[in-house]
Amino acid sequence: MQFTTRPTLQGTFGMVSSTHWLASQSAMAVLEDGGNAYDAAVAGAFVLHVVEPHLNGPAGEVPMILAPAGGDVRVLCGQGVAPAGATVAHYKGLGLDLVPGTGPLAAAVPGAFDAWMLLLRDHGTKSLADVLKYAVAYAEDGHPPVERVGDTVETVRELFETAEWTTSAEVYLPGGRPPRPGELFRNPALAATWKRLLAEVAGAGGREAQIEAARDVWRTGFVAEALVRQAARPTLDTSGKHHTGTLTADDLAAWSAGYEDPVTYDFDGWTVCKAGPWSQGPALLQQLALLPDELPPYGSAAYQHLLIENCKLAMADREAWYGDAADVPLDDLLSAAYTAERRALVGPRASHELRPGSPGGRTPRLAAHARVVATDDPGFSPMGVGEPTVAKSPTSPVPGEPEVSADGATRGDTCHLDIVDRWGNMISATPSGGWLQSNPVVPELGFPLGTRLQMTWLEEGLPNSLTPGRRPRTTLTPSLALRDGVPVMAFGTPGGDQQDQWQLHFFLAVALRAKVRGGLDLQGAIDAPNWHNDSFPGSFYPRGMRPGSVTVESRTDPEVVEELRRRGHDVTVGDAWSEGRLCAVARDPETGILSAAANPRGRQGYAVGR
């Protein structure tokens, strides 16, 4: 058994892992109060909106994968679509070649709130008031913020304090000071929003009727009205100009979250479940499919080289084929014949080319911008734009947290939570979007709109072209794994384009390495040195790529680093604990023993359980 930063927790009652300890413990409190995993997930998610506002918000989005005890695995899609007015022609007519990384033009129909309500209605047992009370209390009474909240606000202070995003300053610069550790930080506007919503739905009837009434308030009531007003306000964005958005009352009223079947792939007795190709989830499955029957020794240079090169091929296919604006040839992309053809492209040297394949004989097409190489100068104003998607400097402190560069540029990121309860219900969810850096705070609500449309292309005819009524292809990609058809493990991580890299490395570490105390070594797999590459177009503005780049933790064996360089990889050695923010829970179907682990990087994620 290897040394780990923390133990893999084990118990029989319930397990929670998330990217913030207050969300984990709030979810655990719901389990202790008799709720199930889905009640707990909703409570934890709304706490994440409060305590990680630089990483997610209620007007963002969330994909989930759930495995109800004795039921089928399902994907719950909380990714909203492009508004009816969000056409390529409209954006091009504004002189844009890319969707801005901030501002209302980048706002899709908000998806997170409705998805959480659908989960609570269909799979939960608690009332809406029961699960919202934790978030309301932290927003109203305050919570001690983590350092990165204040750091992020400092990077956008000038924007907030000018005549631009002043509504954000009212929340995040009270008295001219950003949130500070050791002091209570409050968001009274957000607390008031949830209290008003609860008051308006209180007379609707029973539990399910109140949840449905809350969905109506969000889509057509005071929340919708405030969101539409905000979208219509001219707002400075990353283009350097002021734009109004395209979101309307009709867009909000017409959309709702929904269920889908997962995409799956079988690997060595495991079945890995992911969201469809409107996410990047199948890229993890393609990477699994590309693995040969015999793998190099775990952690060796040959092992890392193989995974890096496989990732490049899968991500090239993501660029050419994934998206909600076209039929994706997923069966061909995961077929044995196609995979064998692609596997043969991996040689002893690192590829610096973007090489999408031709599934079923189709000709791949990439956006004109797809091969743009990123530079050290981000080329946009210092306001938040998206999840970190390019190699960080060795001094970048926390992966998956907003990266603050010397010029003040900052990127938001994402949260994650996994839960399993004593009945065997399991869920993996990756909330994101609606960061405090994404758009001005809606003054009536206490949170901003999201910016997920920045992931689409302003070029017609691509699978990920900006298309009204279609979802932008998201990087958000929770995971759930089965053994012999039985749900065993839920896991995921923040990190933009890195998510299905870090998750693959974690999954293989679990699947290939020794167990601890008779169970899966979740903490050991999370703690293992991790890495990522950026040899493909980033999903976030300004959409650059870094051919041949690989970023590893300094804990990586120096001989492995040197061998990777000899093989042609452009290796950046980052901090010792700088790659990945994984969470995981598991259940042994034979014994009923539950387990959980969380990422120590950033000193923020925690698992709890008993």
Side-chain angles (χ1 to χ4, degrees):
M1 182 177 71
Q2 69 170 32
F3 168 80
T4 60
T5 57
R6 311 166 179 175
T8 295
L9 306 184
Q10 290 188 324
T12 56
F13 181 82
M15 290 285 164
V16 180
S17 178
S18 88
T19 49
H20 196 289
W21 62 83
L22 291 179
S24 294
Q25 188 52 48
S26 297
M28 191 67 199
V30 173
L31 295 181
E32 295 283 6
D33 193 41
N36 66 19
Y38 308 117
D39 299 311
V42 178
F46 279 82
V47 171
L48 286 173
H49 296 158
V50 179
V51 300
E52 293 192 323
H54 58 314
L55 306 179
N56 79 137
E61 45 275 324
V62 57
M64 316 175 202
I65 304 182
L66 51 146
D72 295 331
V73 176
R74 299 287 278 165
V75 170
L76 177 47
C77 174
Q79 173 58 64
V81 298
T87 65
V88 170
H90 175 64
Y91 287 60
K92 299 287 277 188
L94 296 172
L96 298 170
D97 293 320
L98 293 173
V99 177
T102 59
L105 272 181
V109 177
F113 180 87
D114 195 62
W116 290 119
M117 292 301 99
L118 202 62
L119 179 71
L120 184 65
R121 184 197 72 183
D122 295 344
H123 299 280
T125 65
K126 292 288 188 179
S127 71
L128 183 57
D130 282 339
V131 296
L132 280 184
K133 65 184 180 183
Y134 306 93
V136 170
Y138 284 127
E140 187 169 47
D141 301 330
H143 65 93
V146 294
E147 289 86 348
R148 299 298 289 176
V149 176
D151 293 345
T152 303
V153 172
E154 280 291 355
T155 68
V156 287
R157 173 189 283 273
E158 182 178 353
L159 179 68
F160 283 10
E161 288 184 330
T162 66
E164 298 295 345
W165 291 23
T166 53
T167 57
S168 297
E170 292 172 8
V171 174
Y172 292 106
L173 287 168
R177 294 176 54 184
R180 295 187 179 185
E183 299 178 359
L184 289 178
F185 174 70
R186 298 174 175 85
N187 187 341
L190 178 59
T193 294
W194 298 144
K195 291 174 76 172
R196 179 178 174 183
L197 182 143
L198 289 170
E200 289 195 8
V201 307
R207 190 187 79 90
E208 292 186 13
Q210 289 185 12
I211 295 169
E212 279 300 299
R215 297 178 73 199
D216 288 340
V217 169
W218 180 273
R219 290 186 295 204
T220 62
F222 80 91
V223 175
E225 293 168 358
L227 292 174
V228 171
R229 282 195 297 271
Q230 184 64 43
R233 293 183 176 112
T235 301
L236 180 67
D237 59 37
T238 50
S239 72
K241 299 180 179 179
H242 292 77
H243 292 115
T244 57
T246 60
L247 184 69
T248 67
D250 288 342
D251 294 318
L252 281 164
W255 185 85
S256 65
Y259 296 97
E260 302 175 1
D261 291 329
V263 180
T264 65
Y265 186 79
D266 294 334
F267 173 82
D268 195 28
W270 295 81
T271 299
V272 180
C273 304
K274 301 290 285 185
W278 52 268
S279 76
Q280 71 174 351
L284 187 148
L285 307 183
Q286 283 196 258
Q287 291 175 81
L288 285 174
L290 285 165
L291 293 173
D293 292 336
E294 295 291 331
L295 293 178
Y298 176 87
S300 66
Y303 177 85
Q304 293 196 21
H305 171 80
L306 175 66
L307 268 57
I308 292 164
E309 296 305 297
N310 284 353
C311 177
K312 294 174 185 177
L313 295 174
M315 289 302 198
D317 277 346
R318 183 195 73 166
E319 279 309 310
W321 300 110
Y322 290 18
D324 198 34
D327 291 330
V328 179
L330 202 52
D331 289 343
D332 288 325
L333 287 167
L334 291 171
S335 69
Y338 178 75
T339 298
E341 174 187 317
R342 299 286 279 166
R343 189 182 298 121
L345 296 176
V346 176
R349 299 278 301 171
S351 170
H352 288 221
E353 298 179 8
L354 190 64
R355 299 181 290 177
S358 301
R362 301 168 182 85
T363 300
R365 180 185 161 196
L366 295 169
H369 191 83
R371 287 189 168 89
V372 169
V373 176
T375 64
D376 291 333
D377 177 8
F380 48 82
S381 65
M383 60 183 83
V385 291
E387 299 165 24
T389 57
V390 295
K392 294 181 169 218
S393 70
T395 58
S396 182
V398 184
E401 288 281 350
E403 176 180 353
V404 183
S405 66
D407 64 0
T410 177
R411 294 174 170 85
D413 192 29
T414 297
C415 306
H416 188 82
L417 62 85
D418 300 304
I419 303 176
V420 60
D421 64 28
R422 61 190 184 274
W423 300 287
N425 299 301
M426 190 177 292
I427 184 170
S428 178
T430 310
S432 186
W435 312 289
L436 66 86
Q437 318 91 284
S438 63
N439 262 295
V441 166
V442 184
E444 306 93 324
L445 302 178
F447 58 84
L449 286 163
T451 54
R452 194 60 55 169
L453 291 186
Q454 68 180 286
M455 313 186 82
T456 60
W457 293 114
L458 295 182
E459 187 175 337
E460 300 283 8
L462 296 167
N464 193 32
S465 297
L466 178 65
T467 307
R470 296 290 183 172
R471 294 165 288 191
R473 190 201 69 218
T474 180
T475 52
L476 306 176
T477 173
S479 299
L480 199 142
L482 294 73
R483 288 282 288 179
D484 301 320
V486 179
V488 169
M489 182 169 65
F491 59 100
T493 180
D497 295 302
Q498 287 94 284
Q499 289 183 31
D500 279 319
Q501 301 184 58
W502 292 335
Q503 289 185 66
L504 175 74
H505 307 160
F506 162 81
F507 173 74
L508 290 177
V510 170
L512 301 177
R513 302 179 75 190
K515 296 182 177 182
V516 292
R517 293 194 297 276
L520 301 174
D521 185 10
L522 301 182
Q523 194 65 51
I526 288 174
D527 287 355
N530 217 322
W531 70 93
H532 80 274
N533 85 90
D534 299 296
S535 294
F536 49 85
S539 294
F540 289 86
Y541 184 95
R543 311 301 299 274
M545 63 182 289
R546 294 177 185 258
S549 70
V550 176
T551 304
V552 304
E553 293 181 325
S554 63
R555 294 181 294 132
T556 304
D557 184 340
E559 292 185 4
V560 169
V561 173
E562 288 309 307
E563 176 59 24
L564 289 173
R565 287 174 172 155
R566 282 193 291 269
R567 289 173 179 253
H569 297 280
D570 182 8
V571 180
T572 296
V573 178
D575 287 347
W577 297 90
S578 57
E579 290 285 317
R581 288 183 73 210
L582 282 142
C583 300
V585 299
R587 179 179 184 272
D588 186 326
E590 294 183 1
T591 65
I593 291 176
L594 311 178
S595 55
N599 172 53
R601 300 164 178 87
R603 299 174 295 174
Q604 191 168 319
Y606 272 89
V608 296
R610 68 173 178 87

